[in-house]
Amino acid sequence: MRKLSFFILLFGLVLSLCPALRADEGMWLPSLIEQGHIKDMRAKGFRLKAQDLYAVNRASLKDAIVRFGSGCTGELISDQGLLITNHHCGYGQIQQHSSVEHDYLTDGFAAMNRDEELPNPGLTVSFLVEMRDVTDSILKGVTNTMDETERQQIVEANKKEVVGSATEGNHYRASVEALYYGNQYFLFVYEVFEDVRLVFAPPSAVGKFGGDTDNWMWPRHTGDFSIFRVYASPDNKPAPYSPDNVPYVPKKSFTISLKGIRPGDFTFVYGFPGRTYQYLHSEAVRYIQEKSDPHKVRLRTLRLEVMNRAQAADPAVRIQYAAKNANVSNAWKKWQGEMKGLKRLGTVAKKQAFERRFEAWAADKPEYAGVTERLARLYDSLEPYAFARDYHTEAVLAIELFRFAGTFAGVEEWTPEAIEQVRKRSAAFFKDYVPAIDRETARRLLEEYERHVPESFRPQGGKIDVGAIFDSTLLVDSVRVGRLLAEGDTAAVRRIVDSDAAVRAFRAFTAVYKTRIEPAYKELNGQIDRLYRTYMRGMMEMPGAGKAFYPDANSTLRIAYGKVEGYRPVDAVVYEPVSTLEGVMEKDNPEIYDYNVPARLRRLYETKDYGRWAVNGTVPVAFIATNHTTGGNSGSPVLNGRGELIGVNFDRCWEGTMSDLEYDPEVCRNIALDIRYALFLIDRVGGAGYLLDEMKFAE
Ligand code: ARG
Ligand code: ASP
């Protein structure tokens, strides 16, 4: 007994020494599950084999998962190319097809047959064909003593060769990605489809129910999904949009579980997490928590105030600025949760303690000794540049006019083709542009910019006169811009563009950024990255650090697993892990746009007419689990132990949004839509029950 408790104590101690490992933490590489976490997964309730998750020469679950666009995940749910992702992932597309007359954002959209499915130029989905450790090939010719520039040249050349041979004689695309700060390299080969059509979207009052108020929050009642279809050439290969294309037949599609979930059930999330920073130095975390996040939050608060007011006053503006607002609001809220979470966990102090232990261990190892101190010094030098850079992106480039001016400023030669390109870009810009919003935003942002950014990082010439820029620029006037570009007089375009006030302002800001901020920022970051490579290797070598390291997310396919579980957000409050239609109706409020439950759903609720979707007299809506996820995991399949689809991931709980830097098993939860809510909505609210005929169910 005595001995045992001593052992447990010791074990607990070892765990707490780890820079990384906590229960359910981790985003694992699918191809390494077989040698790695399959045992633990099976012990916790996974019923399949590693080969069912990832295999190269036969179909596996990975073949049913796509990177959706550049920032989300989606999964195939029929053998006719039907795909489900989040409403917020298809939001840009749904908005693009919307106007005041066809307001698919408000009313939802359902294609009643294949001909009604809407093409989305520019949208792609990528299937992972294969992933492979190519460290040896990439580091061929690299030595420990070589300087960094030389190393980089060799690595780049080797990457080219590896990518070249992976894509030779086929239609695949490939990339080589660094893991563990360049201690390891993996090749990823993708098959990319470009004809992806919109099939179904619920009304925003469902798909974005609760709007930005409920965003990042539990309890949640958002039906955050949309349905697309992947099309291929008649021989089932990727092809640009064509009416002759046919639904893609995937190697694999998910079976949908109708059995439901219970607290404690094993689940896993299989998707494309974007970026995490688990191994960051304490100084970097301190900068994020104490400086970067607070400033960025304040700048975005200003932007949101202006947008919200204008959108509330005019329904056309509400649509025009819907996606922009959602974008700005999303990180704004996340950063607030992140700051709070880091503070509560004391991440900076914990990292400092770890760094001291690391240095003690490294004291007699010249390769590692002093690495964390050198990092601290570099971060100190970096801070002014990082701060100026934050303001460049969050204040200067947040001004829509400046970004638009950048399109003009970036044209080197005004050829007819260049004019045509800019004309297209202008059309898209003016469709959703309200100069009054931008002007007010610019005024307030630049005020902050002048207050906080030291003069040496600002364009010369004193105060920036926003009013004068907006009054004299051509670029806020769609008619005049249209006329200028239509006339196609290249000399005139160049002359007018070069003297335009917005273009000149943009050039002035860009010039300071490019000369006084970016070069130093890049140079210092290069040195920092180099040190991380050493630091990371040291952490992995250091005894007691455990072998359960996982590479930071980098938009490559990963598996995270955990269980359905509630949490305690604050003192005296316990959150249950499952939400239902009852909660949707509790929040129902016709007065508030984001909580105005569609009449049809309200009626179903009143008559309790749920048909086969009834569970204990209601309909399940969403659930939370301990899976470690991040941005990019949106739309990822949430699966049960049998690999059947039980939900679609769409968010994290606010109290746990620091999980990109430190995962806390107590409060870090991913939020998933219960797949049965999506089916109920398609069937009973959207009137597109015919789509269910394509799907496979496990009852
Ligand atoms: N928070 C989720 C994610 O980071 C959803 C964002 C979209 N929803 C919104 N209301 N802005 O992407
Ligand atoms: N909502 C995020 C996404 O779009 C997911 C997250 O950050 O947890 O990927």
Side-chain angles (χ1 to χ4, degrees), residues 48-86:
L48 305 177
K49 298 194 191 68
Q51 287 277 313
D52 299 316
L53 292 169
Y54 177 92
V56 177
N57 29 33
R58 68 171 175 91
S60 59
L61 293 185
K62 80 146 176 34
D63 299 313
I65 302 166
V66 296
R67 178 141 189 233
F68 184 87
S70 58
C72 278
T73 305
E75 56 274 13
L76 279 286
I77 49 172
S78 91
D79 56 11
Q80 297 164 56
L82 209 59
L83 172 156
I84 190 165
T85 183
N86 292 144

Side-chain angles (χ1 to χ4, degrees), residues 88 208 211-212 215-216 220 224 326-327 329-330 631 634 650-651:
H88 79 258
K208 204 182 174 226
D212 288 302
N215 189 24
W216 298 111
R220 189 67 155 276
D224 196 347
N327 243 330
S329 164
N330 195 42
S634 273
F650 69 94
D651 212 357

Side-chain angles (χ1 to χ4, degrees), residues 71-73 86 88-89 215-216 220 224 272-274 330 334 629-636 649-653 657 659-660 669-671:
C72 278
T73 305
N86 292 144
H88 79 258
C89 293
N215 189 24
W216 298 111
R220 189 67 155 276
D224 196 347
F272 290 88
N330 195 42
K334 188 204 141 172
T629 55
T630 187
N633 267 126
S634 273
S636 299
N649 189 72
F650 69 94
D651 212 357
R652 272 172 292 163
C653 294
T657 43
S659 63
D660 295 347
R669 299 290 179 270
N670 68 307
I671 309 181

Side-chain angles (χ1 to χ4, degrees), residues 505-518:
F506 174 82
R507 286 197 167 131
F509 281 109
T510 311
V512 242
Y513 180 68
K514 293 263 182 221
T515 55
R516 276 180 269 151
I517 303 169
E518 196 185 37

Side-chain angles (χ1 to χ4, degrees), residues 137-395:
S137 318
I138 298 297
L139 295 182
K140 199 167 68 200
V142 168
T143 65
N144 273 338
T145 49
M146 149 183 303
D147 82 58
E148 193 60 18
T149 330
E150 200 183 348
R151 182 191 196 269
Q152 257 172 26
Q153 280 164 359
I154 297 181
V155 165
E156 283 313 311
N158 288 343
K159 273 189 185 175
K160 262 214 185 105
E161 209 178 300
V162 169
V163 166
S165 63
T167 51
E168 203 182 299
N170 59 47
H171 61 281
Y172 297 149
R173 296 193 205 163
S175 70
V176 169
E177 305 293 339
L179 305 175
Y180 300 115
Y181 295 94
N183 283 295
Q184 199 177 19
Y185 289 90
F186 261 73
L187 167 72
F188 297 87
V189 181
Y190 297 98
E191 186 171 35
V192 182
F193 289 80
E194 334 167 39
D195 185 354
V196 184
R197 304 185 196 169
L198 178 65
V199 175
F200 184 92
S204 289
V206 168
K208 204 182 174 226
F209 183 72
D212 288 302
T213 316
D214 280 17
N215 189 24
W216 298 111
M217 308 281 259
W218 186 255
R220 189 67 155 276
H221 299 90
T222 313
D224 196 347
F225 77 100
S226 56
I227 308 254
F228 288 78
R229 192 187 301 281
V230 184
Y231 278 79
S233 63
D235 59 352
N236 211 34
K237 292 267 166 19
Y241 169 81
S242 156
D244 301 331
N245 285 349
V246 295
Y248 171 60
V249 181
K251 291 192 205 76
K252 187 94 189 170
S253 63
F254 283 106
T255 299
I256 296 171
S257 167
L258 297 178
K259 292 188 288 269
I261 45 126
R262 273 175 321 219
D265 280 357
F266 173 85
T267 71
F268 68 108
V269 175
Y270 202 167
F272 290 88
R275 292 250 168 262
T276 58
Y277 310 89
Q278 312 290 337
Y279 307 105
L280 229 44
H281 188 276
S282 59
E283 273 304 297
V285 179
R286 187 197 51 73
Y287 174 69
I288 291 170
Q289 180 188 330
E290 288 174 9
K291 250 187 131 167
S292 182
D293 278 359
H295 278 270
K296 292 192 297 191
V297 165
R298 232 188 8 159
L299 291 169
R300 288 197 176 208
T301 304
L302 299 181
R303 291 162 76 185
L304 288 167
E305 277 168 15
V306 180
M307 272 193 265
N308 288 342
R309 210 181 322 117
Q311 286 180 278
D314 183 340
V317 176
R318 177 182 53 68
I319 296 177
Q320 285 181 302
Y321 273 69
K324 291 177 190 171
N325 190 318
N327 243 330
V328 175
S329 164
N330 195 42
W332 168 77
K333 193 158 181 185
K334 188 204 141 172
W335 289 328
Q336 294 175 61
E338 183 173 85
M339 276 149 60
K340 245 185 131 179
L342 291 171
K343 188 166 171 215
R344 191 177 53 75
L345 286 178
T347 306
V348 173
K350 276 193 227 161
K351 296 233 169 199
Q352 284 167 343
F354 176 78
E355 285 148 19
R356 281 194 296 273
R357 277 202 307 278
F358 181 89
E359 288 302 338
W361 167 78
D364 59 351
K365 299 173 187 65
E367 191 188 354
Y368 300 125
V371 167
T372 69
E373 283 136 29
R374 265 179 285 155
L375 273 169
R377 278 198 298 278
L378 280 169
Y379 273 119
D380 196 44
S381 315
L382 183 75
E383 184 155 326
Y385 300 103
F387 187 74
R389 185 173 177 269
D390 278 346
Y391 265 82
H392 185 71
T393 25
E394 287 292 323

